Amino acid sequence: MSRIGKKPVAIPGGVTANIADGVLTVKGPKGTLTLTLRDEISYTVDGDTILVKPANDTKAARAFWGMQRTLVDNLVTGVTQGYTKVLEITGVGYRANSQGKNLKLQLGYSHDVDFPVPEGIEIKTPDNTTVEISGIDKQKVGQVAAEIRRWRKPEPYKGKGIKYRGEFIFRKEGKKK
């Protein structure tokens, strides 16, 4: 039995959810998100909750149960609150600047990195060393943050690079004298 899957997903006020043609659509104050439903799982919208249960007792149905419930919960949270990831840039001369639909990164390369902002994602730079990525789709926000971080991952000697806020970088010692 999935401990996560057993919990119903609460639908707050101002959010509507409906199932049609194998697609769950959730509409809220921030926008609309959809999820393609799995055949192994049965979904039920009961007033202000969404119930997710395995359609049969196969191993695959039990494996998808908790994950599908979490994906449904992510839809509801996305259209009500949204998701935000914050990246911090550390290093001499490393900086970021958002310019319209592009993020301009100066990361010590011989050229500037221009990162195009995908549809449905908003990027803010409160200062030169902080990048805030926000949107309603949790997967897309995390993917954009990972793609930006990939340009210059934090290195273990001086800690220079792009890291998530709150991420711990294991620092290596220098040479012993």
Side-chain angles (χ1 to χ4, degrees):
M1 295 291 286
S2 172
R3 293 180 187 196
I4 293 173
K6 284 193 270 187
K7 298 178 185 174
V9 178
I11 302 174
V15 176
T16 60
N18 53 3
I19 299 171
D21 301 328
V23 175
L24 172 67
T25 305
V26 180
K27 294 180 185 173
K30 290 197 176 256
T32 303
L33 289 173
T34 60
L35 174 69
T36 305
L37 304 180
R38 302 280 313 189
D39 295 333
E40 297 92 348
I41 306 295
S42 68
Y43 306 84
T44 313
V45 179
D46 288 340
D48 61 345
T49 60
I50 301 173
L51 297 173
V52 180
K53 294 187 176 181
N56 49 40
D57 199 29
T58 62
K59 188 173 183 178
R62 289 192 315 270
F64 285 121
W65 185 13
M67 182 65 183
Q68 290 299 308
R69 188 260 179 213
T70 303
L71 291 175
V72 171
D73 188 45
N74 288 346
L75 296 183
V76 174
T77 305
V79 297
T80 55
Q81 300 170 353
Y83 290 99
T84 302
K85 287 257 187 191
V86 180
L87 297 174
E88 296 172 342
I89 302 173
T90 308
V92 177
Y94 290 8
R95 61 181 71 95
N97 200 357
S98 63
Q99 300 172 339
K101 281 290 185 184
N102 281 331
L103 177 68
K104 187 174 198 147
L105 299 167
Q106 295 174 342
L107 301 172
Y109 295 119
S110 62
H111 55 83
D112 292 347
V113 176
D114 287 328
F115 184 80
V117 179
E119 203 64 37
I121 297 293
E122 183 181 339
I123 293 184
K124 292 185 229 167
T125 50
D127 56 37
N128 284 342
T129 60
T130 307
V131 179
E132 292 180 358
I133 304 151
S134 58
I136 62 172
D137 190 355
K138 185 175 185 177
Q139 192 276 331
K140 193 181 274 189
V141 169
Q143 182 66 36
V144 168
E147 288 174 6
I148 293 172
R149 183 180 183 269
R150 189 170 47 195
W151 280 101
R152 182 72 84 179
K153 289 184 181 175
E155 50 97 6
Y157 299 103
K158 291 185 177 179
K160 298 191 311 183
I162 303 173
K163 66 176 185 137
Y164 298 111
R165 178 168 281 167
E167 179 182 10
F168 177 75
I169 306 300
F170 184 74
R171 301 284 296 269
K172 291 188 177 179
E173 292 183 24
K175 288 185 179 179
K176 306 264 186 196
K177 291 185 179 184

